[in-house]
Amino acid sequence: MNNYEYIIASLPVLQRDSRAPEGFSAEAVEEEIRSQLDERDCRIFDFLLSGFQPESLDGEFYRKAAGSPSRFVREYFNCDLAVRNARVRWLNSALGRAAEQDTVETEQEEDPELVSGVLSILSGNDILERERGLDNLMWEKIEDITVMEVFSLDLILAFTARLKIVDRWLKLDPETGRALFRKLVEEIRNNRQTK
């Protein structure tokens, strides 16, 4: 059995200036988490990480995600697929292609409010702001999924999904990445204080 409390308590905390530490590595944090999980949880953790590899995201992946023992994995990747499909439909419309071309079929129903939010974000003209908006949407969804979680694997998975967003922005736009990192650390601190 895993000691989730210990794992969550050992997640990275920023220095006083609330910046990502010099040489910060999301991969190192992921390896540290993995080293503390048992075999079953490692499989779920690795499955989550595979969902951040574009070449993995096909119908088979999303079917496996829908059958995951982790509620977080099921709900997160259902949302991820809805966002991706909405984005593809938006692009198809802009290119004059069939609406469903290149979408991934799913048995899950898409949340109309989520799809509407995606389309609203995509209607903006600034590409960077659209990317930020979509990542903010996913960040909020992660929070919604884990709002009642306390010291669980799903909370660790949620941290990891947010860490992937932070890492992406540290590479694309360091200022946004640092702001997201501060937000992630603040959420962890608040979570520790309220539990």
Side-chain angles (χ1 to χ4, degrees):
M1 177 153 175
N2 292 299
N3 185 349
Y4 298 131
E5 287 183 32
Y6 176 78
I7 296 170
I8 291 167
S10 69
L11 293 174
V13 176
L14 287 176
Q15 302 163 358
R16 282 183 181 250
D17 65 0
S18 295
R19 290 184 163 198
E22 190 69 34
F24 170 78
S25 165
E27 292 81 11
V29 174
E30 293 163 14
E31 282 307 311
E32 181 62 27
I33 292 170
R34 181 182 289 106
S35 74
Q36 298 176 64
L37 296 173
D38 67 22
E39 188 177 322
R40 177 187 174 272
D41 287 350
C42 263
R43 283 193 301 271
I44 295 169
F45 183 74
D46 288 339
F47 182 81
L48 173 79
L49 291 177
S50 73
F52 293 94
Q53 308 289 328
E55 64 275 7
S56 298
L57 301 177
D58 57 14
E60 181 61 25
F61 173 85
Y62 286 106
R63 279 188 288 282
K64 285 180 183 175
S68 173
S70 163
R71 182 178 69 85
F72 179 80
V73 168
R74 290 189 309 269
E75 292 186 24
Y76 176 80
F77 285 113
N78 184 50
C79 175
D80 180 73
L81 180 57
V83 168
R84 289 178 190 279
N85 278 343
R87 193 176 196 169
V88 169
R89 287 185 201 107
W90 180 82
L91 284 170
N92 285 342
S93 174
L95 297 172
R97 299 181 343 168
E100 296 302 314
Q101 185 174 336
D102 297 325
T103 59
V104 176
E105 288 186 37
T106 178
E107 295 175 12
Q108 308 267 332
E109 284 196 35
E110 291 180 353
D111 176 355
E113 187 177 322
L114 176 68
V115 172
S116 175
V118 171
L119 296 177
S120 176
I121 291 165
L122 292 174
S123 68
N125 293 326
D126 185 321
I127 293 172
L128 195 58
E129 285 304 313
R130 288 193 307 231
E131 289 301 312
R132 252 190 216 111
L134 292 173
D135 280 342
N136 287 340
L137 185 87
M138 292 303 291
W139 190 287
E140 290 169 15
K141 185 62 177 175
I142 291 166
E143 289 177 351
D144 290 346
I145 295 169
T146 57
V147 72
M148 299 302 286
E149 292 291 329
V150 180
F151 299 123
S152 67
L153 177 62
D154 280 349
L155 201 56
I156 294 166
L157 297 174
F159 170 85
T160 304
R162 290 189 304 245
L163 183 65
K164 296 305 260 184
I165 294 171
V166 169
D167 188 48
R168 177 174 181 246
W169 282 99
L170 283 170
K171 291 172 182 165
L172 289 175
D173 175 17
E175 184 178 324
T176 299
R178 284 191 295 275
L180 286 171
F181 194 74
R182 285 191 298 272
K183 182 176 180 179
L184 178 58
V185 170
E186 190 59 36
E187 287 175 9
I188 290 169
R189 285 183 181 151
N190 290 340
N191 190 22
R192 288 179 187 158
Q193 291 170 357
T194 59
K195 304 302 182 217

